[in-house]
Amino acid sequence: MRDFLLTLDELRARGGGKWRRHPADVLPAFVADMDFKVAPAVQAALQRFVDRQDYGYGSMDDVDVLYDAFAGWMSRRHGWRPDPKQTIALADVVQGIVATLVAFSAAGEGVIVQTPAYPPFLRTVAGSGRRLVENPLLDTGEHFEIDLDGLEHAAGEARLLLFCSPHNPTGRVFTREELEQVAGIARRSDLVIVSDEIHADLVFPGAKHIPMETIAPERTVTLTSATKSFNIPGARAAVVHFGDAHLKERFVAALPDFLLGRPSRFGSDATVAAWTQSEVWLHELMAYLEANRHTVSRWVESRTGVGYHQPEATYLAWFDFRSFGLEPDPYTFFLETGHVALSNGADFGGPGAGHVRLNFGTSAEILEEILSRMSRAIDRD
Ligand SMILES: Cc1ncc(COP(=O)(O)O)c(C=O)c1O
C-alpha cells in the first residue's frame, strides 16, 4: 500500500492545480485528482516518451490501439463489448459533453441534468445556449435516487438527457431497474442519452455499474476515460462511443472537421497502459479508497447533524451541512476557519446549497487531518 503514497512535500512540489491553488496552510480536497502515484505501467508508458525525447506527431492509426484497449477493458470490467468502429477519441470528457450537446440538440432546446451535478454539466448547457431542465435527485433518507415522475415530466420539454453514471457528486450507482426506467422514459420522449461513465471503475463492493449502452444502445452515447480511475487527468485522453451507427453519423455530420482535436500521444499511451496492464493496481487502489470511505463514515457518525449517504462509487463524499447554519456558507467556512478547501455545493446546481464535496482520494494521514480540521472548525464556531 505504501507504494501509492506521496509525501506532503512531494505533493506540494507538483505543478497541478490541486496543490497550488491555495496557500500552504490549506489542505486541498476539491478537484477530482487523487494524491497517489500512478500505476507502474502508466508511469513506464510516459517515461518512454521522455527517455526518447519522443514528442512528434503520431499516425492516424494510433487511435486504433486506444479503441481496442477501450473495448477490451469494458468487456473485462463491465461485460460490455463496445464496437471499436463506433468510437471517437477526444482530448477530454467535458469536450465530449459540449460536442454531443451541439450534435444532438439545438440552441434553446431543453437538456435534462440530474442535480446536484458535476458543475461542467451546468456550465456546458448554459454555454452552448441550451435550456437547463433540472431534475433533482430525491433523497430518500437512505440514498439518492432518480425522481422518475420528475424525469417523465422533464422529458416532455427536452431533447437530451445528460446522465452521470455513477453519479458525481453523490456517488450513487444506479440499479438495472432504475436504468431501465430511465431508458423507457427516453424512448417515450425520444431523448438522446449522453452517459458520462468516467467513474465506472471506482465502484465499491456491493454495487455494480451497468453501462447505459447495454440497456438503450439505440439512443445512448457514452463518454469515458481512464483519467479518474487511474489518476491521469493532466494527460488528456477520452473516448466517445455511439451505441448505434446512426448516432455516430449524426455526430460527425454536425461538427466541422478538426474542431475536436485528438488526444495527445502521452494521454493515449498512458490510457492504453491503464486499460491493458493496470487492473491489479486498480484493485489495490479500491482497497485503499474503501478504508478511506470507512474513515469518512466513522467521522460522520461522530458529528451529529451532517447529512451524508456513503457513496457506492467514486472517492467523493457529499455532505449536507444545512442544519449547522455555517456562515456565510459551508465552503467558505471550512476554507477560512478550517483551512480545508472543499468543493462548493452551490456550484452543483439548486440542491447543492449548504453542501460541500470532499475528495477522499488521499493518504489516510491527510484525510484524518482534513477531518480533524473540519471538526475543530465546527467546534470553534
Ligand atoms: C462526471 C465527470 N465527468 C467529467 C470529468 C472530467 O473529465 P475530463 O477531465 O476528461 O474532461 C469529471 C472530473 O471530475 C467528472 O467527475
Side-chain angles (χ1 to χ4, degrees):
M1 250 354 123
R2 278 272 136 202
D3 277 358
F4 277 155
L5 301 182
L6 294 157
T7 64
L8 268 178
D9 285 346
E10 284 170 325
L11 289 164
R12 290 210 167 98
R14 291 168 136 199
K18 181 172 182 183
W19 285 88
R20 296 218 153 202
R21 183 180 303 174
H22 296 282
D25 61 339
V26 170
L27 284 177
F30 59 105
V31 66
D33 256 345
M34 291 185 281
D35 293 332
F36 303 130
K37 294 181 185 173
V38 296
V42 170
Q43 179 66 8
L46 291 167
Q47 190 67 50
R48 274 194 293 277
F49 286 98
V50 177
D51 290 345
R52 298 173 188 161
Q53 302 199 21
D54 181 9
Y55 309 129
Y57 287 119
S59 56
M60 291 312 281
D61 55 8
D62 283 352
V63 285
D64 294 345
V65 182
L66 179 66
Y67 298 166
D68 286 341
F70 165 61
W73 177 254
M74 289 301 153
S75 127
R76 283 197 307 285
R77 296 281 302 182
H78 304 296
W80 167 47
R81 179 108 208 154
D83 179 353
K85 285 197 289 305
Q86 302 305 333
T87 314
I88 294 181
L90 304 167
D92 65 73
V93 165
V94 173
Q95 180 184 44
I97 293 175
V98 183
T100 48
L101 290 178
V102 168
F104 298 109
S105 66
E109 286 186 330
V111 173
I112 304 169
V113 175
Q114 297 185 301
T115 47
Y118 171 59
F121 274 37
L122 306 170
R123 282 164 44 203
T124 51
V125 173
S128 60
R130 273 59 182 165
R131 192 166 42 81
L132 177 68
V133 183
E134 279 193 57
N135 180 45
L137 291 177
L138 292 175
D139 184 347
T140 64
E142 301 232 311
H143 69 185
F144 289 94
E145 64 182 34
I146 299 171
D147 177 353
L148 293 165
D149 291 338
L151 185 61
E152 184 93 57
H153 183 75
E157 47 166 326
R159 295 289 318 144
L160 193 147
L161 168 63
L162 192 46
F163 199 58
C164 190
S165 172
H167 186 259
N168 171 6
T170 64
R172 206 36 241 296
V173 177
F174 301 114
T175 60
R176 177 174 296 283
E177 290 68 33
E178 283 172 297
L179 297 176
E180 277 170 357
Q181 304 243 37
V182 170
I185 293 170
R187 285 192 183 108
R188 285 195 287 284
S189 292
D190 197 20
L191 295 181
V192 171
I193 304 172
V194 173
S195 193
D196 176 338
E197 302 188 2
I198 198 169
H199 293 280
D201 295 318
L202 296 169
V203 173
F204 294 106
K208 179 165 170 44
H209 170 73
I210 299 169
M212 193 66 188
E213 272 194 44
T214 61
I215 305 223
E218 81 288 356
R219 58 186 59 255
T220 303
V221 178
T222 306
L223 291 163
T224 198
S225 73
T227 61
K228 292 294 110 182
S229 16
F230 291 94
N231 205 24
I232 47 172
R236 318 311 283 154
V239 291
V240 51
H241 185 268
F242 303 87
D244 190 287
H246 84 271
L247 291 167
K248 185 176 173 204
E249 281 157 24
R250 275 175 70 187
F251 182 85
V252 170
L255 301 170
D257 263 1
F258 298 109
L259 181 71
L260 286 179
R262 292 155 63 93
S264 72
R265 290 176 59 214
F266 320 117
S268 197
D269 277 20
T271 300
V272 171
W275 280 341
T276 58
Q277 299 173 57
S278 304
E279 201 156 7
V280 171
W281 180 91
L282 183 64
H283 188 71
E284 287 171 8
L285 171 82
M286 288 311 293
Y288 198 90
L289 291 179
E290 170 84 75
N292 280 1
R293 181 175 74 141
H294 187 62
T295 301
V296 173
S297 296
R298 274 202 333 264
W299 179 80
V300 171
E301 279 158 25
S302 72
R303 309 284 340 173
T304 315
V306 185
Y308 174 72
H309 302 306
Q310 180 166 266
E312 295 163 301
T314 79
Y315 42 81
L316 306 169
W318 181 243
F319 294 133
D320 178 355
F321 276 105
R322 281 176 299 175
S323 68
F324 285 70
L326 303 175
E327 292 294 342
D329 58 71
Y331 165 76
T332 315
F333 173 81
F334 285 117
L335 184 59
E336 290 179 355
T337 312
H339 298 266
V340 172
L342 303 163
S343 297
N344 188 352
D347 296 336
F348 291 68
H355 292 67
V356 282
R357 192 191 73 178
L358 175 145
N359 172 350
F360 59 79
T362 190
S363 72
E365 288 84 347
I366 294 176
L367 179 60
E368 291 285 1
E369 176 59 18
I370 287 171
L371 295 172
S372 359
R373 286 184 186 199
M374 289 173 69
S375 288
R376 286 200 297 273
I378 294 171
D379 293 340
R380 214 178 299 146
D381 194 39

